[in-house]
């Protein structure tokens, strides 16, 4: 299409860390997964075939033309070069672990401490297509959160709303002003986690701030537009559009989606229980507009925007 492509992160995709730069290493461990929730850490020998391959891939990932999937995924790779003590060359993918103190305070496990090792044999050069598919498979956190400090980057639209997301989406537009940035997101993380685990790979979960920068996305899905609503959640079964078939596109009324406003733990659990049984009522943003001419009542929740 001719629509504008969402921006990738402004900072470079590949961050080289030369031993013994512990400070840069620790900084990458903290900030590497922003803003999309996951990052990779590789150990390489200087100028080895694997080192050169990562450089080439991450250079391509800086533009849509170079590698659209990696561009939209917004994955950064920290490359520890000639690290001591010497280790075999490897890549590990890890996730952001937000609100560690709050989880500890409630005696709850960390949000997502797991990591994934790229399956490679010592001495056998890595293959680009294998790394790409491995990143796409594991590169989404259970639930992506936001940090309102600008240095963390904008909401990763390309990763969730288009671009690389060929699955479904659970998107929550949240009032993140002041303390709500922490209190609302922490609650939602706890409540959504079991459902994100159940639908891993099928639905991508993300929290999004209600701000001017996200207005276009919120308008597209019809959420987060009523300021009286603290959190506005939508589930989209699939983000696929019938692009090629003109006839299908003419009859396409937007994404099949389900909505939950001001979610609580109970209402989220009930929502996903009904979703699993196929009992949710679709939410059509524009449905009311058509019913006046046809005389038919809408089959689902409709909202005037």
């Amino acid at each position: 299409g001719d629509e504008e492509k969402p921006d990738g992160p402004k900072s470079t995709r590949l961050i080289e860390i030369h031993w013994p730069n512990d400070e840069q290493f620790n900084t990458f461990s903290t900030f590497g997964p922003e803003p999309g929730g996951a990052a990779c850490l590789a150990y390489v020998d200087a100028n080895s075939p694997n080192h050169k391959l990562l450089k080439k891939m991450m250079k391509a990932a800086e533009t849509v033309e170079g590698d659209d999937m990696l561009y939209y995924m917004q994955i950064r790779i920290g490359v520890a070069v000639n690290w001591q003590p010497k280790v075999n060359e490897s890549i590990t993918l890890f996730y952001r672990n937000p609100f560690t103190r709050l989880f500890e305070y409630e005696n709850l496990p960390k949000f997502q401490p797991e990591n994934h090792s790229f399956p490679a044999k010592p001495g056998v050069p890595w293959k680009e297509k294998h790394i790409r598919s491995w990143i796409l498979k594991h590169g989404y956190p259970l639930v992506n959160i936001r940090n309102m400090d600008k240095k963390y980057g904008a909401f990763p639209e390309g990763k969730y709303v288009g671009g690389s997301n060929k699955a479904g989406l659970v998107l929550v537009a949240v009032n993140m002003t002041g303390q709500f940035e922490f209190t609302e997101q922490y609650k939602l993380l706890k409540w959504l986690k079991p459902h994100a685990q159940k639908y891993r790979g099928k639905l991508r979960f993300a929290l999004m701030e209600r701000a001017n920068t996200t207005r276009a996305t919120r308008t597209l899905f019809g959420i987060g537009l009523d300021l009286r609503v603290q959190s506005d959640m939508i589930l989209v079964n699939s983000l696929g559009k019938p692009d090629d078939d003109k006839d299908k596109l003419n009859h396409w009324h937007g994404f099949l989606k389900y909505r939950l406003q001001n979610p609580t733990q109970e209402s989220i659990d009930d929502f996903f229980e009904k979703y699993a049984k196929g009992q949710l009522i679709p939410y059509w943003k524009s449905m009311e507009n058509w019913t006046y001419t046809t005389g038919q009542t809408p089959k689902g929740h409709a909202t005037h925007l």
Side-chain angles (χ1 to χ4, degrees):
D2 297 325
E3 72 274 16
E4 280 185 40
K5 299 288 185 195
D7 282 344
K10 299 290 179 262
S11 69
T12 165
R13 299 298 174 93
L14 185 126
I15 291 131
E16 292 207 339
I17 309 161
H18 292 268
W19 192 83
N21 195 336
D22 288 337
E23 190 183 338
Q24 195 180 9
F25 187 90
N26 293 337
T27 299
F28 183 79
S29 302
T30 307
F31 294 103
E34 301 301 339
C40 294
L41 181 62
Y43 289 92
V44 300
D45 302 330
N47 299 317
S48 68
N50 291 338
H51 187 193
K52 287 174 177 164
L53 174 64
L54 292 181
K55 279 184 171 176
K56 175 183 155 240
M57 286 177 69
M58 290 295 104
K59 183 77 190 142
E62 287 176 11
T63 62
V64 179
E65 298 74 34
D67 186 329
D68 60 344
M69 187 278 282
L70 284 178
Y71 173 82
Y72 289 128
M73 283 295 285
Q74 302 192 206
I75 291 272
R76 291 203 193 108
I77 300 189
V79 180
V81 183
N82 288 346
W83 213 249
Q84 299 294 331
K86 190 166 168 10
V87 289
N88 284 333
E89 293 192 312
S90 67
I91 317 178
T92 303
L93 186 145
F94 66 98
Y95 301 97
R96 179 202 296 112
N97 269 294
F99 308 130
T100 44
R101 282 190 194 145
L102 292 174
F103 280 105
E104 272 171 24
Y105 181 72
E106 290 200 72
N107 288 320
L108 293 169
K110 281 184 176 175
F111 186 70
Q112 198 169 3
E114 67 183 280
N115 53 35
H116 299 275
S117 298
F118 177 65
K121 296 186 177 110
V124 180
W126 303 336
K127 284 201 164 67
E128 179 169 354
K129 67 175 183 185
H130 293 160
I131 296 177
R132 287 177 87 256
S133 60
W134 175 76
I135 285 175
L136 188 59
K137 181 181 179 184
H138 298 296
Y140 284 87
L142 282 172
V143 183
N144 197 44
I145 69 151
R146 298 288 297 132
N147 188 310
M148 293 295 89
D149 188 325
K150 283 201 168 58
K151 71 178 180 221
Y152 285 82
F155 175 78
E157 254 179 63
K159 184 165 184 171
Y160 286 93
V161 179
S164 56
N165 187 8
K166 303 289 184 257
L169 173 70
V170 174
L171 185 64
V172 193
V174 183
N175 170 14
M176 293 192 195
T177 54
Q179 277 302 108
F180 289 136
E181 178 186 339
F182 310 103
T183 55
E184 285 296 304
Q185 290 198 101
Y186 176 61
K187 280 191 307 196
L188 287 164
L189 277 187
K190 286 194 296 182
W191 300 340
L192 290 170
K193 183 175 179 176
H195 308 291
Q197 286 171 321
K198 180 178 177 181
Y199 289 104
R200 197 154 188 194
K202 295 188 176 73
L203 298 171
R204 319 289 194 194
F205 286 67
L207 309 184
M208 180 177 68
E209 69 272 26
R210 212 169 60 196
N212 284 335
T213 49
T214 63
R215 185 180 297 277
T217 301
R218 289 182 290 117
T219 304
L220 172 70
F221 293 115
I223 56 165
L225 300 168
D226 183 342
L227 299 186
R228 293 166 300 185
V229 178
Q230 181 69 24
S231 292
D232 203 352
M233 182 174 101
I234 203 151
L235 185 158
V236 186
N237 244 349
S238 165
L239 288 169
K241 283 186 197 173
D243 292 322
D244 311 322
D245 188 327
K246 277 269 170 37
D247 185 56
K248 272 190 191 155
L249 199 54
N250 288 338
H251 291 100
W252 188 70
H253 301 312
F255 305 110
L256 179 62
K257 48 194 185 297
Y258 309 98
R259 183 185 200 179
L260 180 64
Q261 293 189 302
N262 287 327
T264 62
Q265 179 158 11
E266 291 72 25
S267 70
I268 284 177
D269 291 346
D270 181 62
F271 178 90
F272 281 101
E273 193 178 321
K274 287 194 169 82
Y275 174 67
K277 293 175 181 169
Q279 294 172 348
L280 288 178
I281 300 169
Y283 158 57
W284 301 109
K285 198 173 68 164
S286 52
M287 194 176 263
E288 279 187 349
N289 304 340
W290 317 330
T291 56
Y292 302 126
T293 52
T294 61
Q296 293 172 343
T297 52
K299 290 189 186 109
H301 295 305
T303 310
H304 268 315
L305 299 176

